[in-house]
Amino acid sequence: MSDDEPTEEELREAEALVRALERGSAQEALPEDALETAALLAYSRDGGALSDERRAAILDDLLANAKLPQPKSTRGPSWLAWLLPAVGVAAAAGVALLVVVTAERATPPAAAGLPAPPPALLTAQAAAAGGTRREAEVLGERMQSYRGEVYAALEARYPRGGAR
């Protein structure tokens, strides 16, 4: 072979360059300097304008290789259209029922009315603050009497056994 004849590899690269320039993109690895040079030469010839035939060929190639989106099926699970709202309404009703029942149970009973301490008890408390033994005994007697009244009022309002 002489230096004037292209090698097999050079012929393959030249064909790949032609395809890349015609298509506008390379599908295989090409020498970048050769691709840039060929693109500049092609642009200098016609300024990058496409002929009508070339434009039609590119469009045909694009349409032939394009992956068109598939139309979505309008037929979906029909049970889902009514199931989701039904579950939402049922859940809301359940929550409302739970809130009402819990609020009814959680309402505390009315407070029991306790008897007011008699003035004799308050006087005995003030005297016991002085600290004599006799005054402390009097306070104990008065407190015992008042405690009985308080326990009786509590038993009347909150009877043993949980009955209201």
Side-chain angles (χ1 to χ4, degrees):
M1 273 197 202
S2 70
D3 288 336
D4 293 339
E5 293 181 23
T7 65
E8 197 61 36
E9 182 180 341
E10 289 173 336
L11 287 173
R12 278 194 307 271
E13 284 182 3
E15 287 176 19
L17 279 172
V18 168
R19 280 193 308 272
L21 290 173
E22 285 179 357
R23 178 75 172 99
S25 64
Q27 295 179 350
E28 56 214 46
L30 296 174
E32 196 162 320
D33 57 342
L35 187 59
E36 289 172 355
T37 303
L40 282 174
L41 289 172
Y43 184 79
S44 69
R45 179 182 46 196
D46 58 7
L50 292 176
S51 67
D52 290 337
E53 295 86 24
R54 184 67 192 132
R55 196 174 304 144
I58 291 174
L59 180 61
D60 291 342
D61 182 43
L62 179 69
L63 292 175
N65 294 320
K67 293 180 182 175
L68 299 176
Q70 299 296 323
K72 293 189 178 187
S73 171
T74 58
R75 180 119 174 107
S78 61
W79 55 269
L80 196 58
W82 62 265
L83 181 64
L84 290 178
V87 168
V89 168
V95 168
L97 181 65
L98 183 65
V99 166
V100 168
V101 168
T102 305
E104 185 178 299
R105 287 184 185 169
T107 304
L114 298 178
L121 173 62
L122 298 175
T123 305
Q125 283 179 331
T132 66
R133 185 175 171 91
R134 176 68 190 135
E135 292 166 340
E137 289 174 3
V138 171
L139 175 62
E141 292 170 10
R142 306 264 186 219
M143 280 299 295
Q144 190 172 12
S145 171
Y146 178 66
R147 249 186 238 119
E149 293 175 28
V150 169
Y151 289 153
L154 290 174
E155 179 68 30
R157 177 62 183 100
Y158 309 109
R160 292 181 191 191
R164 285 190 180 174

